Protein backbone atom coordinates (compact mmCIF):
# COMPACT_ATOMS: atom_id res chain seq x y z
CA UNK A 1 0.00 0.00 0.00
CA UNK A 2 1.35 3.40 -0.92
CA UNK A 3 2.43 5.49 2.04
CA UNK A 4 1.80 9.19 2.27
CA UNK A 5 4.87 11.26 3.12
CA UNK A 6 5.33 13.54 6.07
CA UNK A 7 3.33 16.73 6.06
CA UNK A 8 5.10 20.05 6.49
CA UNK A 9 4.02 20.17 10.15
CA UNK A 10 5.30 16.65 10.73
CA UNK A 11 8.62 17.47 9.07
CA UNK A 12 9.04 20.50 11.32
CA UNK A 13 8.10 18.38 14.34
CA UNK A 14 10.64 15.68 13.50
CA UNK A 15 13.37 18.26 12.94
CA UNK A 16 12.62 20.05 16.23
CA UNK A 17 12.56 16.87 18.31
CA UNK A 18 15.67 15.46 16.67
CA UNK A 19 17.55 18.72 17.28
CA UNK A 20 16.65 18.63 20.99
CA UNK A 21 17.72 15.00 21.25
CA UNK A 22 21.04 15.77 19.56
CA UNK A 23 21.77 18.57 22.02
CA UNK A 24 21.22 16.19 24.95
CA UNK A 25 23.38 13.37 23.60
CA UNK A 26 26.61 14.71 25.10
CA UNK A 27 25.01 15.02 28.54
CA UNK A 28 23.48 11.56 28.24
CA UNK A 29 26.83 10.02 27.33
CA UNK A 30 28.64 11.80 30.16
CA UNK A 31 26.12 10.60 32.75
CA UNK A 32 26.28 7.09 31.34
CA UNK A 33 30.09 7.13 31.63
CA UNK A 34 29.91 8.25 35.26
CA UNK A 35 27.50 5.44 36.10
CA UNK A 36 29.83 2.88 34.50
CA UNK A 37 32.89 4.40 36.14
CA UNK A 38 34.42 5.19 32.75
CA UNK A 39 34.40 8.99 32.90
CA UNK A 40 37.35 11.08 31.73
CA UNK A 41 38.98 12.45 34.85
CA UNK A 42 39.74 16.18 34.82
CA UNK A 43 43.21 16.95 36.20
CA UNK A 44 45.38 20.07 36.38
CA UNK A 45 48.59 18.26 35.41
CA UNK A 46 50.70 20.15 37.97
CA UNK A 47 51.53 17.55 40.62
CA UNK A 48 50.79 14.61 38.34
CA UNK A 49 51.72 14.80 34.64
CA UNK A 50 49.12 13.76 32.04
CA UNK A 51 51.27 10.75 31.12
CA UNK A 52 50.23 9.07 34.36
CA UNK A 53 46.52 8.88 33.52
CA UNK A 54 46.89 5.10 33.53
CA UNK A 55 46.75 5.35 37.32
CA UNK A 56 43.16 6.65 37.29
CA UNK A 57 40.90 4.77 39.66
CA UNK A 58 37.45 6.39 39.95
CA UNK A 59 35.46 5.44 43.02
CA UNK A 60 32.07 4.52 41.58
CA UNK A 61 29.98 6.50 44.03
CA UNK A 62 27.48 7.47 41.29
CA UNK A 63 26.55 3.81 40.78
CA UNK A 64 26.11 3.38 44.55
CA UNK A 65 23.86 6.44 44.67
CA UNK A 66 21.63 5.18 41.86
CA UNK A 67 21.52 1.45 42.59
CA UNK A 68 20.70 1.95 46.26
CA UNK A 69 17.48 3.76 45.33
CA UNK A 70 16.51 1.49 42.43
CA UNK A 71 17.02 -1.69 44.47
CA UNK A 72 14.26 -0.55 46.85
CA UNK A 73 11.73 0.22 44.13
CA UNK A 74 9.49 -2.77 43.51
CA UNK A 75 5.93 -2.57 42.21
CA UNK A 76 3.56 -4.85 44.14
CA UNK A 77 0.20 -4.42 42.36
CA UNK A 78 -2.21 -2.11 40.56
CA UNK A 79 -5.77 -1.20 41.48
CA UNK A 80 -8.45 0.10 39.15
CA UNK A 81 -10.40 3.27 40.10
CA UNK A 82 -12.97 2.72 42.88
CA UNK A 83 -11.77 -0.86 43.40
CA UNK A 84 -9.94 -1.59 46.66
CA UNK A 85 -8.75 -5.01 45.48
CA UNK A 86 -5.68 -5.42 43.29
CA UNK A 87 -6.53 -5.90 39.63
CA UNK A 88 -5.68 -9.36 38.33
CA UNK A 89 -6.17 -8.21 34.72
CA UNK A 90 -3.67 -5.35 35.00
CA UNK A 91 -1.17 -7.62 36.72
CA UNK A 92 -1.58 -10.20 33.98
CA UNK A 93 -0.64 -7.58 31.38
CA UNK A 94 2.28 -6.55 33.59
CA UNK A 95 3.60 -10.09 33.85
CA UNK A 96 3.03 -10.82 30.14
CA UNK A 97 5.61 -8.11 29.37
CA UNK A 98 8.16 -9.28 31.98
CA UNK A 99 7.77 -5.96 33.73
CA UNK A 100 9.03 -7.42 37.00
CA UNK A 101 12.49 -7.08 35.46
CA UNK A 102 11.85 -4.47 32.77
CA UNK A 103 10.51 -1.95 35.29
CA UNK A 104 13.96 -1.98 36.90
CA UNK A 105 15.40 -0.69 33.62
CA UNK A 106 12.85 2.16 33.56
CA UNK A 107 13.71 3.18 37.12
CA UNK A 108 17.43 2.86 36.41
CA UNK A 109 17.28 4.97 33.24
CA UNK A 110 15.24 7.64 35.02
CA UNK A 111 17.63 7.86 37.96
CA UNK A 112 20.73 8.04 35.71
CA UNK A 113 19.57 10.38 32.96
CA UNK A 114 16.93 12.36 34.83
CA UNK A 115 14.10 11.09 32.63
CA UNK A 116 13.02 7.89 30.92
CA UNK A 117 10.26 6.63 28.65
CA UNK A 118 7.88 3.70 28.36
CA UNK A 119 5.96 3.05 25.13
CA UNK A 120 2.77 1.02 24.77
CA UNK A 121 1.76 -0.62 21.49
CA UNK A 122 -0.70 -3.16 20.14
CA UNK A 123 0.43 -6.77 20.15
CA UNK A 124 -0.42 -8.34 16.77
CA UNK A 125 0.06 -11.85 18.18
CA UNK A 126 -1.94 -11.36 21.39
CA UNK A 127 -4.42 -8.49 21.50
CA UNK A 128 -5.26 -9.12 25.15
CA UNK A 129 -1.67 -8.35 26.17
CA UNK A 130 -0.37 -5.11 24.58
CA UNK A 131 3.36 -4.58 24.30
CA UNK A 132 5.01 -2.44 26.97
CA UNK A 133 8.61 -1.46 26.19
CA UNK A 134 11.14 0.58 28.15
CA UNK A 135 12.91 3.12 25.94
CA UNK A 136 16.26 4.79 26.47
CA UNK A 137 16.34 8.53 26.98
CA UNK A 138 19.46 8.57 24.79
CA UNK A 139 17.29 7.72 21.78
CA UNK A 140 13.85 9.16 22.64
CA UNK A 141 12.60 12.69 23.20
CA UNK A 142 9.12 14.06 23.87
CA UNK A 143 7.23 17.34 23.69
CA UNK A 144 5.04 17.96 26.74
CA UNK A 145 2.09 20.32 27.12
CA UNK A 146 2.93 22.49 30.16
CA UNK A 147 -0.77 22.89 31.02
CA UNK A 148 -1.93 19.27 30.91
CA UNK A 149 1.50 17.72 31.64
CA UNK A 150 0.80 15.21 28.86
CA UNK A 151 3.00 14.27 25.91
CA UNK A 152 1.81 15.79 22.64
CA UNK A 153 4.49 14.18 20.44
CA UNK A 154 7.49 11.89 20.81
CA UNK A 155 10.35 10.76 18.57
CA UNK A 156 12.26 7.49 18.87
CA UNK A 157 15.52 7.41 16.86
CA UNK A 158 17.43 4.24 15.97
CA UNK A 159 21.19 4.57 15.46
CA UNK A 160 23.70 2.51 13.54
CA UNK A 161 25.81 0.76 16.22
CA UNK A 162 28.87 0.89 13.98
CA UNK A 163 28.63 4.58 13.12
CA UNK A 164 28.60 7.31 15.75
CA UNK A 165 25.54 9.58 15.72
CA UNK A 166 24.24 8.08 12.49
CA UNK A 167 20.44 7.62 12.65
CA UNK A 168 18.97 5.00 10.35
CA UNK A 169 15.30 4.85 11.37
CA UNK A 170 12.85 6.70 13.55
CA UNK A 171 9.33 6.46 14.93
CA UNK A 172 7.13 9.54 15.31
CA UNK A 173 4.41 9.16 17.95
CA UNK A 174 1.38 11.45 17.64
CA UNK A 175 -2.03 11.48 19.36
CA UNK A 176 -3.84 9.86 16.42
CA UNK A 177 -1.08 8.10 14.49
CA UNK A 178 2.33 6.48 14.71
CA UNK A 179 4.64 7.02 11.75
CA UNK A 180 7.62 4.77 10.98
CA UNK A 181 10.47 6.46 9.09
CA UNK A 182 13.67 5.59 7.24
CA UNK A 183 16.51 8.13 7.14
CA UNK A 184 17.27 9.57 3.75
CA UNK A 185 19.84 12.10 2.59
CA UNK A 186 20.15 15.24 4.68
CA UNK A 187 16.99 15.96 6.67
CA UNK A 188 14.81 13.78 4.47
CA UNK A 189 12.80 10.99 6.09
CA UNK A 190 10.86 8.40 4.07
CA UNK A 191 7.60 7.06 5.53
CA UNK A 192 7.57 3.25 5.56
CA UNK A 193 4.37 2.75 7.53
CA UNK A 194 1.64 4.86 9.12
CA UNK A 195 -0.58 3.45 11.86
CA UNK A 196 -3.78 5.47 12.27
CA UNK A 197 -4.78 4.30 15.75
CA UNK A 198 -6.95 7.34 16.68
CA UNK A 199 -6.26 6.95 20.40
CA UNK A 200 -6.40 10.68 20.97
CA UNK A 201 -3.20 10.48 23.04
CA UNK A 202 0.42 9.65 22.45
CA UNK A 203 1.14 6.03 23.53
CA UNK A 204 4.31 7.10 25.35
CA UNK A 205 4.72 7.94 29.04
CA UNK A 206 7.65 9.90 30.45
CA UNK A 207 9.24 9.27 33.87
CA UNK A 208 11.00 12.22 35.49
CA UNK A 209 13.55 12.29 38.31
CA UNK A 210 13.57 15.37 40.56
CA UNK A 211 10.97 17.30 38.56
CA UNK A 212 10.69 21.06 38.82
CA UNK A 213 7.87 23.36 37.81
CA UNK A 214 8.13 23.90 34.05
CA UNK A 215 11.15 21.57 33.73
CA UNK A 216 10.38 18.27 32.02
CA UNK A 217 13.97 17.14 31.56
CA UNK A 218 14.59 16.27 35.19
CA UNK A 219 17.90 15.89 36.95
CA UNK A 220 20.14 12.89 37.40
CA UNK A 221 20.24 11.29 40.83
CA UNK A 222 24.04 11.38 40.49
CA UNK A 223 24.28 15.13 39.89
CA UNK A 224 25.44 16.05 43.40
CA UNK A 225 28.00 13.23 43.45
CA UNK A 226 29.89 13.89 40.21
CA UNK A 227 32.40 16.50 41.40
CA UNK A 228 33.20 14.79 44.72
CA UNK A 229 33.73 11.59 42.74
CA UNK A 230 36.28 13.37 40.53
CA UNK A 231 38.03 14.79 43.59
CA UNK A 232 38.25 11.36 45.18
CA UNK A 233 39.55 9.88 41.94
CA UNK A 234 42.29 12.52 41.76
CA UNK A 235 43.25 11.79 45.37
CA UNK A 236 43.51 8.10 44.57
CA UNK A 237 45.61 8.79 41.50
CA UNK A 238 47.98 10.94 43.56
CA UNK A 239 48.08 8.14 46.12
CA UNK A 240 49.12 5.60 43.50
CA UNK A 241 51.87 7.87 42.22
CA UNK A 242 53.07 8.40 45.80
CA UNK A 243 53.06 4.66 46.34
CA UNK A 244 55.27 4.19 43.28
CA UNK A 245 57.77 6.84 44.35
CA UNK A 246 57.63 6.54 48.14
CA UNK A 247 56.74 2.90 48.81
CA UNK A 248 60.43 2.11 49.36
CA UNK A 249 62.12 4.60 51.69
CA UNK A 250 64.83 6.60 49.94
CA UNK A 251 68.45 5.71 50.75
CA UNK A 252 71.42 8.01 50.83
CA UNK A 253 75.18 7.52 50.73
CA UNK A 254 78.04 10.04 51.02
CA UNK A 255 81.74 9.80 50.60
CA UNK A 256 81.72 7.40 47.65
CA UNK A 257 80.91 7.14 43.96
CA UNK A 258 78.85 4.67 41.98
CA UNK A 259 81.97 2.55 41.40
CA UNK A 260 82.23 1.95 45.12
CA UNK A 261 79.02 -0.13 45.17
CA UNK A 262 80.15 -3.75 45.00
CA UNK A 263 77.90 -6.74 44.52
CA UNK A 264 78.67 -9.05 47.42
CA UNK A 265 78.05 -12.19 45.37
CA UNK A 266 79.97 -11.38 42.21
CA UNK A 267 82.47 -8.83 43.50
CA UNK A 268 81.65 -6.60 40.55
CA UNK A 269 80.23 -3.08 40.45
CA UNK A 270 76.50 -3.22 41.20
CA UNK A 271 73.90 -1.94 38.76
CA UNK A 272 71.93 1.21 39.71
CA UNK A 273 68.85 -0.92 40.44
CA UNK A 274 70.85 -3.21 42.75
CA UNK A 275 72.45 -0.22 44.36
CA UNK A 276 69.06 1.30 45.12
CA UNK A 277 67.42 -1.79 46.57
CA UNK A 278 70.07 -4.20 47.85
CA UNK A 279 73.64 -3.14 47.13
CA UNK A 280 74.19 -1.15 50.31
CA UNK A 281 76.53 -3.97 51.18
CA UNK A 282 80.25 -3.26 50.95
CA UNK A 283 82.44 -0.37 49.93
CA UNK A 284 86.20 0.08 49.68
CA UNK A 285 85.96 3.71 50.83
CA UNK A 286 86.63 4.20 54.52
CA UNK A 287 84.78 7.54 54.44
CA UNK A 288 81.54 6.03 53.14
CA UNK A 289 78.40 6.69 55.17
CA UNK A 290 74.97 5.15 54.54
CA UNK A 291 71.49 6.09 55.66
CA UNK A 292 67.78 6.02 54.88
CA UNK A 293 65.16 8.72 54.70
CA UNK A 294 62.01 8.51 56.80
CA UNK A 295 59.15 6.76 54.95
CA UNK A 296 56.40 9.03 53.66
CA UNK A 297 53.11 9.11 55.56
CA UNK A 298 50.29 8.48 53.06
CA UNK A 299 47.44 8.75 55.58
CA UNK A 300 46.62 12.26 54.35
CA UNK A 301 45.10 10.71 51.21
CA UNK A 302 42.75 8.60 53.30
CA UNK A 303 41.74 11.68 55.26
CA UNK A 304 40.75 13.44 52.05
CA UNK A 305 38.73 10.45 50.80
CA UNK A 306 36.99 10.08 54.17
CA UNK A 307 36.05 13.76 54.09
CA UNK A 308 34.62 13.46 50.60
CA UNK A 309 32.67 10.32 51.54
CA UNK A 310 31.10 12.17 54.47
CA UNK A 311 30.09 15.06 52.22
CA UNK A 312 28.57 12.71 49.63
CA UNK A 313 26.66 10.98 52.41
CA UNK A 314 25.31 14.31 53.64
CA UNK A 315 24.15 15.34 50.17
CA UNK A 316 22.59 12.05 49.06
CA UNK A 317 21.10 11.00 52.39
CA UNK A 318 22.77 7.60 52.14
CA UNK A 319 24.50 6.17 55.22
CA UNK A 320 28.21 6.89 55.20
CA UNK A 321 28.91 3.16 55.53
CA UNK A 322 27.62 2.77 51.97
CA UNK A 323 30.75 4.61 50.85
CA UNK A 324 33.21 2.33 52.63
CA UNK A 325 33.30 4.06 56.03
CA UNK A 326 32.70 1.07 58.29
CA UNK A 327 33.03 0.95 62.05
CA UNK A 328 34.61 -1.90 63.97
CA UNK A 329 31.24 -3.14 65.25
CA UNK A 330 28.27 -3.76 62.94
CA UNK A 331 25.41 -1.33 63.29
CA UNK A 332 22.45 -2.46 65.38
CA UNK A 333 18.98 -2.85 63.91
CA UNK A 334 17.71 0.38 65.44
CA UNK A 335 20.77 2.30 64.27
CA UNK A 336 20.34 0.97 60.73
CA UNK A 337 16.71 2.11 60.55
CA UNK A 338 17.58 5.53 61.97
CA UNK A 339 20.49 5.84 59.56
CA UNK A 340 18.27 5.09 56.56
CA UNK A 341 15.43 7.54 57.28
CA UNK A 342 16.40 9.96 54.51
CA UNK A 343 17.03 7.12 52.07
CA UNK A 344 13.60 5.61 52.74
CA UNK A 345 11.86 8.96 52.38
CA UNK A 346 13.68 9.55 49.11
CA UNK A 347 12.57 6.17 47.75
CA UNK A 348 8.98 6.83 48.83
CA UNK A 349 9.08 10.12 46.92
CA UNK A 350 10.40 8.36 43.82
CA UNK A 351 7.68 5.72 44.14
CA UNK A 352 5.02 8.41 44.34
CA UNK A 353 6.23 10.08 41.14
CA UNK A 354 6.91 6.85 39.25
CA UNK A 355 3.59 5.43 40.43
CA UNK A 356 1.74 8.20 38.58
CA UNK A 357 3.61 7.33 35.40
CA UNK A 358 3.00 3.59 35.78
CA UNK A 359 -0.69 4.34 36.22
CA UNK A 360 -0.71 6.11 32.84
CA UNK A 361 1.16 3.19 31.29
CA UNK A 362 -1.34 0.64 32.55
CA UNK A 363 -4.27 2.82 31.47
CA UNK A 364 -2.91 2.81 27.91
CA UNK A 365 -2.37 -0.95 28.04
CA UNK A 366 -5.90 -1.49 29.41
CA UNK A 367 -7.42 0.56 26.61
CA UNK A 368 -5.53 -1.33 23.92
CA UNK A 369 -6.48 -4.65 25.48
CA UNK A 370 -10.18 -4.00 26.13
CA UNK A 371 -11.10 -0.87 24.20
CA UNK A 372 -12.31 0.75 27.46
CA UNK A 373 -10.84 4.06 28.49
CA UNK A 374 -9.78 4.56 32.11
CA UNK A 375 -8.17 7.55 33.79
CA UNK A 376 -4.54 6.65 34.46
CA UNK A 377 -4.36 9.22 37.25
CA UNK A 378 -6.84 7.12 39.22
CA UNK A 379 -5.04 3.81 38.82
CA UNK A 380 -3.23 3.20 42.09
CA UNK A 381 0.25 1.72 42.09
CA UNK A 382 1.20 -0.18 45.24
CA UNK A 383 4.84 -0.62 46.19
CA UNK A 384 6.73 -2.85 48.56
CA UNK A 385 8.00 -1.28 51.75
CA UNK A 386 11.39 0.37 51.03
CA UNK A 387 12.54 -0.15 54.62
CA UNK A 388 14.94 -2.94 55.51
CA UNK A 389 13.40 -4.69 58.52
CA UNK A 390 14.15 -8.29 59.35
CA UNK A 391 11.48 -10.85 58.48
CA UNK A 392 10.95 -11.67 62.16
CA UNK A 393 10.38 -8.01 63.00
CA UNK A 394 7.96 -7.61 60.13
CA UNK A 395 6.03 -10.77 61.01
CA UNK A 396 5.79 -9.71 64.63
CA UNK A 397 4.42 -6.28 63.70
CA UNK A 398 1.85 -7.80 61.34
CA UNK A 399 0.76 -10.34 63.95
CA UNK A 400 0.12 -7.56 66.47
CA UNK A 401 -1.93 -5.58 63.94
CA UNK A 402 -4.05 -8.65 63.16
CA UNK A 403 -4.53 -9.50 66.84
CA UNK A 404 -5.79 -5.99 67.63
CA UNK A 405 -8.21 -6.05 64.69
CA UNK A 406 -6.47 -3.26 62.81
CA UNK A 407 -5.41 -5.54 59.97
CA UNK A 408 -7.29 -8.40 58.32
CA UNK A 409 -5.83 -11.71 57.20
CA UNK A 410 -5.87 -10.56 53.57
CA UNK A 411 -4.20 -7.32 54.62
CA UNK A 412 -1.50 -9.29 56.39
CA UNK A 413 -0.78 -11.15 53.18
CA UNK A 414 -0.47 -7.84 51.36
CA UNK A 415 2.00 -6.57 53.95
CA UNK A 416 4.05 -9.72 53.51
CA UNK A 417 4.22 -8.99 49.79
CA UNK A 418 2.60 -12.23 48.67
CA UNK A 419 1.52 -12.59 45.04
CA UNK A 420 -2.08 -13.25 44.07
CA UNK A 421 -1.19 -16.83 43.16
CA UNK A 422 0.22 -17.41 46.65
CA UNK A 423 -2.89 -15.85 48.19
CA UNK A 424 -5.16 -18.15 46.15
CA UNK A 425 -3.29 -21.21 47.43
CA UNK A 426 -3.61 -20.06 51.02
CA UNK A 427 -7.34 -19.39 50.56
CA UNK A 428 -7.80 -22.93 49.28
CA UNK A 429 -5.93 -24.34 52.27
CA UNK A 430 -7.94 -22.33 54.77
CA UNK A 431 -11.20 -23.34 53.10
CA UNK A 432 -10.15 -26.98 53.20
CA UNK A 433 -9.33 -26.71 56.91
CA UNK A 434 -12.68 -25.04 57.62
CA UNK A 435 -14.58 -27.78 55.78
CA UNK A 436 -12.71 -30.47 57.69
CA UNK A 437 -13.41 -28.74 61.02
CA UNK A 438 -17.16 -28.77 60.27
CA UNK A 439 -17.17 -32.48 59.41
CA UNK A 440 -17.45 -32.10 55.64
CA UNK A 441 -16.15 -35.11 53.71
CA UNK A 442 -15.38 -34.78 50.03
CA UNK A 443 -17.49 -37.29 48.03
CA UNK A 444 -15.82 -40.23 46.37
CA UNK A 445 -15.45 -40.33 42.61
CA UNK A 446 -18.80 -41.23 41.05
CA UNK A 447 -20.87 -40.02 43.99
CA UNK A 448 -23.18 -37.05 43.59
CA UNK A 449 -22.41 -34.43 46.17
CA UNK A 450 -25.87 -32.94 45.60
CA UNK A 451 -27.84 -36.22 45.90
CA UNK A 452 -31.15 -35.81 47.76
CA UNK A 453 -31.21 -37.79 51.04
CA UNK A 454 -34.56 -36.51 52.18
CA UNK A 455 -33.07 -33.68 54.10
CA UNK A 456 -30.80 -35.98 56.07
CA UNK A 457 -27.16 -35.36 55.67
CA UNK A 458 -23.99 -35.99 57.55
CA UNK A 459 -24.25 -34.37 60.93
CA UNK A 460 -21.27 -32.92 62.76
CA UNK A 461 -19.71 -34.69 65.74
CA UNK A 462 -21.03 -38.11 64.65
CA UNK A 463 -24.81 -37.40 65.17
CA UNK A 464 -27.21 -39.59 63.28
CA UNK A 465 -28.91 -38.31 60.16
CA UNK A 466 -32.18 -36.59 60.84
CA UNK A 467 -31.29 -35.71 64.43
CA UNK A 468 -30.66 -32.13 65.34
CA UNK A 469 -27.59 -31.20 67.22
CA UNK A 470 -28.40 -29.05 70.20
CA UNK A 471 -26.73 -25.72 69.95
CA UNK A 472 -24.33 -24.85 72.70
CA UNK A 473 -25.66 -22.02 74.81
CA UNK A 474 -23.48 -18.93 74.70
CA UNK A 475 -23.28 -16.38 77.47
CA UNK A 476 -25.37 -13.28 76.95
CA UNK A 477 -23.81 -10.78 74.58
CA UNK A 478 -21.38 -13.32 73.10
CA UNK A 479 -21.71 -14.38 69.48
CA UNK A 480 -21.09 -17.84 68.06
CA UNK A 481 -17.92 -17.24 66.09
CA UNK A 482 -16.72 -19.44 63.25
CA UNK A 483 -13.70 -21.56 64.10
CA UNK A 484 -10.28 -20.09 63.50
CA UNK A 485 -8.31 -21.78 60.74
CA UNK A 486 -6.35 -24.69 62.13
CA UNK A 487 -8.53 -24.91 65.32
CA UNK A 488 -11.37 -27.43 65.58
CA UNK A 489 -14.76 -26.56 66.98
CA UNK A 490 -15.37 -28.38 70.24
Amino acid sequence: MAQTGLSSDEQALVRSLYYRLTRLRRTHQQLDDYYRGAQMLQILGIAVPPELRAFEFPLNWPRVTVDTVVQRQHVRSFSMPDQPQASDQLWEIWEANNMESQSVLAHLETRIQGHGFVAVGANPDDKAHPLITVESSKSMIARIDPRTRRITAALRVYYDPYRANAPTQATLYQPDSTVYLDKGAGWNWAVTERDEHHLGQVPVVQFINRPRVGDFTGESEMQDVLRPTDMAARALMDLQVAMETHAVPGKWAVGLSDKDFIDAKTGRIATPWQAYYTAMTTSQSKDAKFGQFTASDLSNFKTVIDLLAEQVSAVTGLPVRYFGQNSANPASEGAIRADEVRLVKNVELKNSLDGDSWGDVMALAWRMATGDQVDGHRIRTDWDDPNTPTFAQKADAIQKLVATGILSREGAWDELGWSEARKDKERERFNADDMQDWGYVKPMDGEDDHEDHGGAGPAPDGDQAGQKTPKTQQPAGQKDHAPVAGQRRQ
Side-chain angles (χ1 to χ4, degrees):
M1 184 177 66
Q3 303 292 337
T4 59
L6 292 175
S7 65
S8 57
D9 291 340
E10 290 175 334
Q11 291 178 2
L13 180 60
V14 171
R15 179 171 299 191
S16 174
L17 292 173
Y18 182 70
Y19 175 71
R20 287 179 51 203
L21 181 61
T22 302
R23 292 190 60 183
L24 290 173
R25 281 188 63 83
R26 182 177 179 181
T27 301
H28 288 324
Q29 187 61 49
Q30 183 183 33
L31 292 173
D32 191 64
D33 289 342
Y34 269 99
Y35 177 76
R36 294 185 296 107
Q39 72 272 20
M40 178 65 70
L41 184 62
Q42 301 296 325
I43 60 175
L44 297 177
I46 298 177
V48 179
E51 292 79 7
L52 298 179
R53 297 192 71 98
F55 291 97
E56 290 182 7
F57 178 69
L59 289 174
N60 209 335
W61 289 344
R63 184 189 292 270
V64 175
T65 304
V66 170
D67 287 355
T68 304
V69 175
V70 173
Q71 289 167 0
R72 295 173 182 247
Q73 289 189 277
H74 183 263
V75 177
R76 179 195 301 172
S77 62
F78 297 97
S79 300
M80 295 290 286
D82 303 325
Q83 293 184 8
Q85 297 290 340
S87 174
D88 294 337
Q89 293 84 355
L90 289 178
W91 195 252
E92 182 179 338
I93 297 174
W94 179 268
E95 291 183 330
N97 287 274
N98 294 324
M99 295 309 295
E100 286 279 338
S101 58
Q102 294 300 305
S103 61
V104 178
L105 299 181
H107 300 152
L108 187 65
E109 187 74 8
T110 304
R111 304 288 89 82
I112 295 175
Q113 302 295 347
H115 59 277
F117 298 93
V118 173
V120 183
N123 188 347
D125 299 326
D126 187 0
K127 183 180 179 182
H129 301 103
L131 298 177
I132 303 176
T133 56
V134 178
E135 303 291 348
S136 172
S137 56
K138 296 188 291 291
S139 57
M140 177 171 274
I141 193 70
R143 176 178 291 179
I144 300 178
D145 187 340
R147 184 178 66 87
T148 63
R149 306 295 195 273
R150 290 192 177 275
I151 294 178
T152 59
L155 181 68
R156 168 70 160 93
V157 180
Y158 300 87
Y159 294 92
D160 186 346
Y162 302 103
R163 297 174 57 192
N165 301 330
T168 58
Q169 295 175 320
T171 303
L172 177 63
Y173 297 91
Q174 300 180 97
D176 293 320
S177 65
T178 299
V179 186
Y180 301 92
L181 308 169
D182 276 347
K183 185 68 170 64
W187 282 98
N188 296 324
W189 293 88
V191 177
T192 59
E193 185 180 352
R194 183 182 291 268
D195 178 16
E196 301 287 352
H197 50 71
H198 300 291
L199 287 175
Q201 64 181 118
V202 178
V204 175
V205 178
Q206 183 175 16
F207 291 67
I208 302 180
N209 189 66
R210 296 182 181 176
R212 300 286 300 275
V213 176
D215 179 16
F216 302 105
T217 304
E219 184 181 61
S220 173
E221 193 73 11
M222 309 180 298
Q223 191 62 44
D224 299 328
V225 188
L226 302 184
R227 290 190 177 182
T229 299
D230 285 344
M231 292 177 64
R234 284 193 291 268
L236 281 175
M237 185 171 64
D238 293 343
L239 172 61
Q240 291 188 80
V241 174
M243 290 170 58
E244 289 289 329
T245 57
H246 297 78
V248 178
K251 301 180 179 67
W252 56 268
V254 295
L256 70 168
S257 64
D258 56 348
K259 296 181 180 180
D260 293 323
F261 289 99
I262 306 301
D263 190 335
K265 293 182 179 180
T266 64
R268 299 179 180 179
I269 298 176
T271 64
W273 186 261
Q274 291 174 322
Y276 182 77
Y277 277 98
T278 61
M280 294 289 188
T281 54
T282 61
S283 175
Q284 298 178 355
S285 176
K286 63 180 180 178
D287 297 326
K289 294 182 180 181
F290 302 93
Q292 174 177 293
F293 294 105
T294 304
S296 299
D297 184 9
L298 305 181
S299 61
N300 57 319
F301 294 101
K302 183 180 184 302
T303 303
V304 172
I305 295 174
D306 290 347
L307 172 64
L308 293 173
E310 293 172 357
Q311 296 303 311
V312 170
S313 174
V315 172
T316 61
L318 300 181
V320 70
R321 67 179 186 276
Y322 285 20
F323 302 99
Q325 309 303 306
N326 296 320
S327 59
N329 298 321
S332 63
E333 180 180 334
I336 290 176
R337 292 181 65 86
D339 210 19
E340 294 178 348
V341 169
R342 289 181 60 193
L343 168 60
V344 172
K345 291 299 181 182
N346 185 32
V347 175
E348 290 176 346
L349 176 61
K350 308 297 184 189
N351 290 346
S352 177
L353 296 171
D354 291 350
D356 295 340
S357 298
W358 283 124
D360 292 337
V361 170
M362 301 312 295
L364 280 168
W366 179 263
R367 184 177 180 184
M368 293 185 181
T370 65
D372 299 331
Q373 189 167 359
V374 62
D375 187 2
H377 295 333
R378 300 185 60 199
I379 293 181
R380 188 180 74 249
T381 305
D382 295 322
W383 302 80
D384 284 342
D385 186 4
N387 282 286
T388 56
T390 62
F391 183 80
Q393 178 191 12
K394 190 172 186 178
D396 181 64
I398 294 175
Q399 184 179 12
K400 291 178 180 178
L401 292 175
V402 174
T404 55
I406 298 176
L407 194 65
S408 66
R409 184 172 67 186
E410 296 273 349
W413 295 348
D414 289 336
E415 292 299 321
L416 288 173
W418 287 1
S419 63
E420 290 299 322
R422 173 69 184 278
K423 295 178 187 177
D424 290 340
K425 289 183 179 180
E426 293 300 326
R427 293 187 188 104
E428 293 176 1
R429 291 166 182 166
F430 277 118
N431 291 336
D433 290 342
D434 291 342
M435 291 179 182
Q436 184 178 1
D437 292 338
W438 284 91
Y440 175 80
V441 179
K442 185 176 180 180
M444 299 293 292
D445 294 340
E447 295 185 6
D448 186 3
D449 189 26
H450 303 285
E451 184 178 352
D452 187 6
H453 298 283
D461 299 331
D463 295 329
Q464 298 296 325
Q467 295 183 358
K468 294 185 178 179
T469 302
K471 184 176 182 180
T472 304
Q473 297 295 327
Q474 300 289 342
Q478 182 174 349
K479 295 184 179 180
D480 184 15
H481 294 284
V484 179
Q487 178 180 352
R488 292 185 176 275
R489 178 183 293 275
Q490 301 298 328

